[in-house]
Amino acid sequence: MEAQTELDTRGLTCPLPILKAKKALSGMQSGELLRVVATDPGSVRDFQAFARQTGNDLVDQQASQIGGQDEFVHVLRRR
């Protein structure tokens, strides 16, 4: 799955990852994918709620550990 836009929000906490994603999505075409990398564990719930509220499709969420730090990847499809 290749995202047209990638957003690095590592080190940012709620609500900044969501706000940055909202801004990025506003400049994208319908159907394009946005990949957001975050370190805030609350971003998992936040992006689920954001997708429900905005009508954008949350197509994937993954958690991994890179260098001892948790990372969360969220992929949204622009409505």
Side-chain angles (χ1 to χ4, degrees):
M1 177 177 345
E2 176 110 9
Q4 285 72 36
T5 305
E6 296 212 11
L7 193 56
D8 182 355
T9 65
R10 292 177 185 104
L12 301 178
T13 57
C14 181
L16 289 175
I18 292 292
L19 293 175
K20 289 185 174 284
K22 183 177 181 179
K23 183 176 181 181
L25 285 166
S26 71
M28 296 172 63
Q29 299 294 316
S30 181
E32 289 186 327
L33 296 176
L34 170 65
R35 181 178 184 267
V36 182
V37 181
T39 50
D40 180 6
S43 69
V44 174
R45 278 191 332 270
D46 292 344
F47 274 94
Q48 291 168 356
F50 176 75
R52 278 193 307 274
Q53 292 170 357
T54 62
N56 293 296
D57 188 21
L58 183 62
V59 295
D60 192 27
Q61 280 190 308
Q62 295 181 11
S64 60
Q65 199 170 65
I66 309 289
Q69 177 149 358
D70 291 332
E71 287 193 353
F72 307 92
V73 177
H74 315 281
V75 180
L76 293 156
R77 184 181 320 278
R78 171 78 160 95
R79 61 177 166 89

